[in-house]
């Protein structure tokens, strides 16, 4: 039943919604992500040194690293490998398309989040789709629904699925029991989240650039060692993505639809553009504007999918001669096999280390996401004097305990069903956000 619900939620209609809203914003802004690439690049990654000189509170770069921590995860390793085995090399082309138009979706939701954010009674920023659903769209109940779905995703995809990936990787690579990993991981997560958004941002700022840099370095070593194969890999990607019309038979059509479906869905899974999560994570930035923070969201989608996912894909395609499905491996095992084929045992450690760091970063970032949603939902229920017990659960330390419990249980459980169940909440969470993006489209503007 869960599998059928999952197929229904993540059917072609949802992928078309993601594509449609991204295309609409791309056209509305005159292809801003392409036309103004030098401008937004300088305004984001090119302004890091200037930010360090004027550091006050949580910086734009720190919120970008926190958002990257939430998006760079198992999707960059497992998701890419699954897309290649299930959808063929052409899936990578459609992943690029998904990222290119998703950049403007990420820009729009982050810009709206910053525009409508406000400070709570403690002086902390409250930001995200629930805020612009309430204050921009004037639909507070949609904001409450989004918050509830965000909480469910944080307890599933944000914590249990990620901690399970860490436990399985550590047990397979180093023989460490899952219980021991669960205790250690839960303690590490607790140490970080006790410091609130400041410590989460601080850890993300240190963890993400270094870990992503090391992973990209080893990826380039493998790719450059197969430099002569790169033209053939590009040929495989484009040939598989666009079959000639003369042979557009049922089989070819099925192949193209699989490439498109897996390329777009894995692109969304990796960069989260359209889910609204980036809008929540960027809300803590001080001394910023909606347009500046929107461009940081664009950079994150570019970095996550165009750079890291592409490198993973090229490593796999180079090592499997363009036939990932014929390797006999899938998921993280396929990525580890591809790295190990060129780097030996070191390749497996590279993938294991990347899985460990990326998943841990995702866990701490999603705690902040879930905590923000829980706080908003509790406050909304309080205003309406409803569900007092649920208010108590969402407030204070109870949500934190639930989240830590999910991290620990994720290390012990077999999560095939939990993964699909979490993915259902993930897809449902996008719906209120996409509604807001459609209705509030006139309010989204880009720098001239």
């Amino acid at each position: 039943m869960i599998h059928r619900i999952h197929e229904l939620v993540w059917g072609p209609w949802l992928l078309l919604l993601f594509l449609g809203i991204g295309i609409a914003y791309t056209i509305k802004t005159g292809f801003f992500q392409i036309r103004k690439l030098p401008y937004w690049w300088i305004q984001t990654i090119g302004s890091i040194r200037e930010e360090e000189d004027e550091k006050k509170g949580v910086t734009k770069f720190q919120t970008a690293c926190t958002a990257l921590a939430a998006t760079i995860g198992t999707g960059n390793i497992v998701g890419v490998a699954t897309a290649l085995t299930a959808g063929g090399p052409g899936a990578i082309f459609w992943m690029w398309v998904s990222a290119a138009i998703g950049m403007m979706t990420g820009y729009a939701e982050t810009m709206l989040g910053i525009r409508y954010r406000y400070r709570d009674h403690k002086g902390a920023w409250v930001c995200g789709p629930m805020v612009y659903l309430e204050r921009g769209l004037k639909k507070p109940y949609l904001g409450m629904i989004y918050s509830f779905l965000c909480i469910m995703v944080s307890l599933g995809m944000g914590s249990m699925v990620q901690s399970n990936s860490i436990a399985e990787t550590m047990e397979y690579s180093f023989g460490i029991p899952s219980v021991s990993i669960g205790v250690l991981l839960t303690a590490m997560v607790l140490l970080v989240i006790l410091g609130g958004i400041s410590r989460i941002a601080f850890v993300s700022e240190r963890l993400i650039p270094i870990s992503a840099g090391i992973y990209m370095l080893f990826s380039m070593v493998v790719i450059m060692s197969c430099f002569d194969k790169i033209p053939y890999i590009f040929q495989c990607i484009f040939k598989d993505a666009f079959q000639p019309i003369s042979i557009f038979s049922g089989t070819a059509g099925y192949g193209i639809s699989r490439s498109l479906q897996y390329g777009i869905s894995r692109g969304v899974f990796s960069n989260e553009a359209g889910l609204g999560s980036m809008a929540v994570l960027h809300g803590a930035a001080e001394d910023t504007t909606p347009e500046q923070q929107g461009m940081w969201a664009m950079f994150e989608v570019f970095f996550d999918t165009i750079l890291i996912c592409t490198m993973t894909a090229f490593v796999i395609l180079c090592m499997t001669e363009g036939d990932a499905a014929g390797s006999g491996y899938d998921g993280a095992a396929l990525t580890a096999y591809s790295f190990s084929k060129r780097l030996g045992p070191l390749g497996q450690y590279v993938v294991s280390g990347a899985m460990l760091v990326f998943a841990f970063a995702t866990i701490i970032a999603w705690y902040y996401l879930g905590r923000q949603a829980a706080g908003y939902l509790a406050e909304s229920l309080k205003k309406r004097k409803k569900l007092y017990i649920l208010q108590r659960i969402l407030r204070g330390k109870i949500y934190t305990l639930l989240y830590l419990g999910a991290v620990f249980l994720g290390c012990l459980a077999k999560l095939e069903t939990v993964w699909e169940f979490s993915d259902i909440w993930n897809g449902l969470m996008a719906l209120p956000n996409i509604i807001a993006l459609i209705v509030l489209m006139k309010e989204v503007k880009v720098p001239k």
Side-chain angles (χ1 to χ4, degrees), residues 71-81 83-84 91-92 95-96 99 215-216 219 223 237 263 266-272 300-317 335 358:
T71 55
I72 296 178
T74 54
N76 298 82
I77 296 173
V78 180
V80 173
L84 288 171
I92 300 308
M95 192 176 283
W96 292 337
Y215 182 77
M216 292 169 69
S219 297
I223 294 168
I237 291 171
R266 295 307 171 186
V268 170
F269 175 73
S270 178
N271 60 55
E272 298 185 10
E300 288 148 27
V301 176
F302 176 85
F303 185 83
D304 176 87
T305 306
I306 301 294
L307 291 184
I308 295 186
C309 287
T310 298
M311 287 186 173
T312 301
F314 268 69
V315 167
I316 294 171
L317 291 173
T335 309
F358 291 167

Side-chain angles (χ1 to χ4, degrees), residues 185-203:
L185 179 61
T186 305
M188 290 173 63
V189 171
L190 177 62
L191 286 175
V192 175
I193 66 177
L194 281 178
I197 182 57
S198 298
R199 190 176 297 172
I200 291 172
F202 176 83
V203 173

Side-chain angles (χ1 to χ4, degrees), residues 141-301:
Y141 280 99
L142 279 181
M144 293 170 68
I145 290 171
Y146 181 89
S147 298
F148 172 76
L149 294 170
C150 186
I151 293 167
M152 299 305 295
V153 173
S154 74
L155 295 174
M157 192 67 72
S159 56
M160 291 186 75
V161 169
Q162 304 299 328
S163 63
N164 183 259
S165 299
I166 291 174
E168 286 189 348
T169 301
M170 296 298 286
E171 189 169 12
Y172 175 77
S173 300
F174 306 105
I176 304 174
S178 296
V179 175
S180 302
I181 293 299
V183 172
L184 180 61
L185 179 61
T186 305
M188 290 173 63
V189 171
L190 177 62
L191 286 175
V192 175
I193 66 177
L194 281 178
I197 182 57
S198 298
R199 190 176 297 172
I200 291 172
F202 176 83
V203 173
S204 300
E205 183 185 22
R206 267 67 181 170
L207 207 58
I208 290 301
I210 295 173
S211 59
I214 293 172
Y215 182 77
M216 292 169 69
L217 174 64
F218 281 105
S219 297
M220 285 304 300
V221 169
V222 175
I223 294 168
M224 295 310 294
S225 70
C226 308
F227 188 76
D228 57 316
K229 296 181 182 178
I230 292 178
Y232 171 71
I233 298 305
F234 272 109
Q235 182 184 347
C236 288
I237 291 171
F238 287 102
K239 183 179 179 181
D240 194 58
F242 297 103
Q243 297 286 352
I245 192 69
S246 58
I247 59 170
F248 196 82
S249 61
T251 304
Y254 176 74
I256 290 176
S257 67
R258 296 276 286 183
S259 295
L260 191 149
Q261 179 185 355
Y262 277 91
I264 293 173
S265 63
R266 295 307 171 186
V268 170
F269 175 73
S270 178
N271 60 55
E272 298 185 10
L275 298 183
S277 54
M278 284 189 286
V280 181
L281 293 165
H282 280 277
E286 301 287 354
D287 300 323
T288 188
T289 65
E291 291 81 7
Q292 283 179 319
Q293 219 56 36
M295 288 187 284
W296 271 109
M298 288 172 56
F299 169 77
E300 288 148 27
V301 176

Side-chain angles (χ1 to χ4, degrees), residues 367-422:
Y367 168 78
Y368 178 72
L369 270 162
R371 189 71 192 86
Q372 286 285 89
Y376 175 87
L377 184 55
E379 191 63 31
S380 297
L381 291 172
K382 182 181 178 181
K383 289 177 183 177
R384 291 162 179 80
K385 298 180 180 179
K386 293 181 178 180
L387 301 174
Y388 178 76
I389 296 175
L390 183 57
Q391 290 181 44
R392 297 293 298 173
I393 292 173
L394 295 172
R395 287 183 179 278
K397 299 176 182 178
I398 298 180
Y399 172 78
T400 302
L401 292 174
L402 287 173
Y403 193 85
L404 292 171
V407 172
F408 181 75
L409 289 175
C411 293
L412 308 180
K414 299 295 182 183
L415 287 188
E416 289 84 358
T417 302
V418 176
W419 182 288
E420 286 201 333
F421 201 64
S422 301

Side-chain angles (χ1 to χ4, degrees), residues 51-96:
E51 273 201 35
E52 287 298 317
D53 294 338
E54 303 175 1
K55 192 169 182 178
K56 294 178 182 178
V58 179
T59 66
K60 296 185 283 291
F61 178 64
Q62 284 181 323
T63 56
C65 287
T66 306
L68 279 170
T71 55
I72 296 178
T74 54
N76 298 82
I77 296 173
V78 180
V80 173
T82 303
L84 288 171
T85 53
I92 300 308
F93 173 82
W94 295 109
M95 192 176 283
W96 292 337

